[in-house]
Amino acid sequence: MITGEVSLKNISGPITIANYAGQSAKMGLTAYLGFLALISISLGVLNLLPIPVLDGGHLMYYLIEAARGVPLSEKIMQIGHQIGMILLVTLMIFAIHNDLLRLVSE
């Protein structure tokens, strides 16, 4: 998505996830459990992104602290958390927007 090789329309939110969960449940327990595993892995990878409010962001802060020898100031960490929260809320709104467009186009 960053390089433009994949469309941003591939970002899905809770509506699409629920839809696919229902479809996979109809296919059987194995398909449903596979879908749940895929969602869990996807959320785990997303959580490791270096966005300050996520675990990857905390790891990023620890790496910066290790490189500098001193922790970042509370003010800088607070600004980072605010930026991270804005990024996540924007991503959630975008994903739900895509979901609603899919519902309308069906």
Side-chain angles (χ1 to χ4, degrees):
M1 288 183 192
I2 293 172
T3 61
E5 294 179 22
V6 178
S7 173
L8 292 175
K9 292 181 181 180
N10 289 336
I11 295 176
S12 299
I15 297 169
T16 301
I17 292 171
N19 183 18
Y20 283 124
Q23 290 177 19
S24 66
K26 289 178 185 175
M27 290 189 276
L29 182 61
T30 304
Y32 182 65
L33 291 177
F35 176 76
L36 290 179
L38 181 66
I39 291 296
S40 294
I41 291 168
S42 297
L43 287 174
V45 169
L46 179 72
N47 194 35
L48 289 176
L49 290 176
I51 298 174
V53 293
L54 301 175
D55 289 338
H58 292 289
L59 293 174
M60 178 183 66
Y61 284 149
Y62 296 143
L63 288 174
I64 292 170
E65 181 178 342
R68 291 179 64 213
V70 293
L72 292 172
S73 71
E74 283 292 322
K75 177 95 171 143
I76 290 181
M77 288 177 58
Q78 183 180 17
I79 291 170
H81 283 293
Q82 290 172 346
I83 291 170
M85 195 61 141
I86 290 169
L87 288 171
L88 285 178
V89 169
T90 302
L91 179 63
M92 290 184 335
I93 290 170
F94 187 71
I96 292 171
H97 176 262
N98 282 348
D99 283 351
L100 294 174
L101 287 179
R102 280 188 203 97
L103 280 176
V104 170
S105 67
E106 289 180 358

